[in-house]
Amino acid sequence: MSLRKARARTDPQAAALPEHAVTARALGKIYPGNRHMPKMEALADFNIEIPRGSLFGLLGPNGAGKSTFINILAGLVNKTSGQATIWGYDIDRQQRAARSAIGVVPQELNLDAFFTPRELLELHAGLYAVPRAERRTMELLETVGLADKAEAYARTLSGGMRRRLMVAKAMVHAPPVLVLDEPTAGVDVQLRRQLWDHIRALNKAGTTVLLTTHYLEEAEQLCDRIAIIHHGRVIVCDETRQLIGRLDAKSLSIIATEAMSALPANLRAFDAELHGPRTIFIRYRPSQTRMRDILAAVRRAGIQIVDLTTHESDLEDLFLELTREPDTQEPNTSAGAETPE
């Protein structure tokens, strides 16, 4: 029997699944200043709701507050104000239950080099008081593709294998919420694809996944819902498709057979410009302008088309649009001080 099922049998509150896996209301965090740096507000009136069962992306520039929020959920940083819950448990009033409901995979690889994967998972399960009969050590290693490395020392594993082992370690107590903080930072393309497959499989099995990443393509492909934070506030949160559609912007690049010395007069009604003697570049809003009207104007200008390409707005365009102002200065990271991201 899994730890989650056992908890549901003995805890009536756990049996009633919450609508939201994670919530934060008016969450605030102020890092105190020192002789070298003034105090810094890392989170300010931070509000978010992460639906149960979602694969949720949390995006933002460096210093936006992503790691501060994650560390508050994990109990590593004390919030200054507001309220947060994990799986329906208040992180202050129900600390033990809240922390057992979350597994965090940090950016840093913090594995003991002289333990085997099997030993590391057994040790971590013991720290969470998972009974031996309920431990899923080999099942987890199989899930992340490390069953054949169960008895190998962690120091002999590749970087990608260590990252997968970190995911398994975070899942030993069967948390319903898994936080992945930059899980593919610094890994190659092939490994990134493998990790994506593992993340999708965990989510499909019922785990709510909170993903932070600077790879916007990764978030766009993986996440069904995305929040963008900036200067400690959530500035937008919606389904991924809806977010990308907000920009209402496309571009069209047309290569003509003949060189042009100037842009044809009838194309000046559009946001068009010449990119070289044979290329016309046009920006337009699909809600206001139809592509067939643009192509009709090109034909009226007597231009013969050799090739054309279109560019759809993507998550990167929206991210840059919303976070274009300069970031605030990062706080001092001297030893012993809490530091936000």
Side-chain angles (χ1 to χ4, degrees):
M1 183 191 305
S2 71
L3 181 62
R4 194 182 311 173
K5 290 180 180 178
R7 188 186 298 127
R9 285 191 176 186
T10 57
D11 185 352
Q13 184 176 356
L17 297 178
E19 179 183 0
H20 296 103
V22 175
T23 66
R25 296 184 177 90
L27 201 62
K29 173 61 184 178
I30 298 176
Y31 289 94
N34 54 37
R35 292 180 303 170
H36 307 288
M37 292 291 294
K39 68 178 182 180
M40 176 182 174
E41 189 175 40
L43 294 179
D45 193 27
F46 185 94
N47 296 279
I48 203 167
E49 292 181 338
I50 299 176
R52 185 186 76 247
S54 65
L55 209 170
F56 193 96
L58 186 65
L59 310 180
N62 289 332
K66 302 185 298 299
S67 288
T68 294
F69 175 56
I70 290 172
N71 288 335
I72 288 174
L73 294 181
L76 301 176
V77 169
N78 295 322
K79 62 183 176 61
T80 305
S81 59
Q83 181 187 26
T85 66
I86 305 170
W87 210 246
Y89 299 111
D90 186 276
I91 63 171
D92 293 324
R93 293 185 288 105
Q94 299 162 294
Q95 288 187 14
R96 187 178 181 88
R99 292 178 186 178
S100 70
I102 191 172
V104 179
V105 182
Q107 295 183 38
E108 299 80 14
L109 294 173
N110 54 1
L111 299 171
D112 192 312
F114 296 96
F115 277 70
T116 68
R118 184 200 295 271
E119 291 169 339
L120 282 167
L121 296 195
E122 287 289 322
L123 174 62
H124 210 62
L127 294 175
Y128 275 96
V130 181
R132 288 189 179 276
E134 296 179 16
R135 295 181 187 179
R136 305 172 299 137
T137 298
M138 289 309 299
E139 177 187 339
L140 288 170
L141 290 176
E142 184 72 37
T143 298
V144 298
L146 292 176
D148 61 333
K149 301 292 184 180
E151 306 303 333
Y153 286 120
R155 67 176 182 269
T156 67
L157 302 180
S158 67
M161 291 178 181
R162 293 181 190 184
R163 287 205 175 271
R164 281 183 275 162
L165 182 55
M166 292 284 292
V167 174
K169 192 173 80 162
M171 295 295 293
V172 295
H173 58 298
V177 181
L178 179 65
V179 177
L180 301 170
D181 193 6
E182 299 285 347
T184 59
V187 303
D188 60 46
V189 175
Q190 183 177 2
L191 175 58
R192 184 174 299 138
R193 297 286 180 179
Q194 292 175 359
L195 287 171
W196 287 6
D197 291 340
H198 290 307
I199 292 169
R200 289 190 181 100
L202 288 169
N203 180 244
K204 189 175 180 180
T207 302
T208 302
V209 178
L210 171 59
L211 171 71
T212 76
T213 180
H214 285 294
Y215 297 108
L216 300 185
E217 175 197 4
E218 181 172 79
E220 187 172 341
Q221 292 193 25
L222 284 175
C223 302
D224 49 61
R225 194 171 183 86
I226 287 173
I228 297 177
I229 68 175
H230 197 36
H231 298 316
R233 290 179 169 83
V234 176
I235 56 177
V236 67
C237 180
D238 207 340
E239 294 180 2
T240 305
R241 288 184 182 179
Q242 296 296 325
L243 278 181
I244 296 172
R246 289 189 180 197
L247 277 180
D248 187 29
K250 293 181 72 173
S251 62
L252 175 66
S253 182
I254 297 172
I255 300 177
T257 57
E258 303 291 338
M260 294 165 281
S261 59
L263 189 71
N266 68 324
L267 295 183
R268 293 172 188 165
F270 304 99
D271 184 6
E273 55 190 37
L274 280 179
H275 284 191
R278 296 175 52 223
T279 303
I280 301 172
F281 186 77
I282 301 173
R283 300 180 185 87
Y284 68 100
R285 295 184 178 276
S287 63
Q288 300 176 4
T289 305
R290 297 176 299 181
M291 183 185 291
R292 67 182 183 184
D293 295 332
I294 297 174
L295 295 178
V298 170
R299 286 194 296 269
R300 288 196 299 271
I303 297 172
Q304 297 295 317
I305 299 174
V306 174
D307 194 13
L308 61 84
T309 56
T310 61
H311 172 71
E312 299 273 357
S313 298
D314 56 19
L315 189 59
E316 181 176 349
D317 296 322
L318 179 67
F319 183 87
L320 294 174
E321 178 75 17
L322 294 174
T323 61
R324 62 174 53 185
E325 65 265 25
D327 297 334
T328 55
Q329 189 176 11
E330 301 237 354
N332 184 19
T333 57
S334 57
E338 294 178 330
T339 56
E341 180 186 349

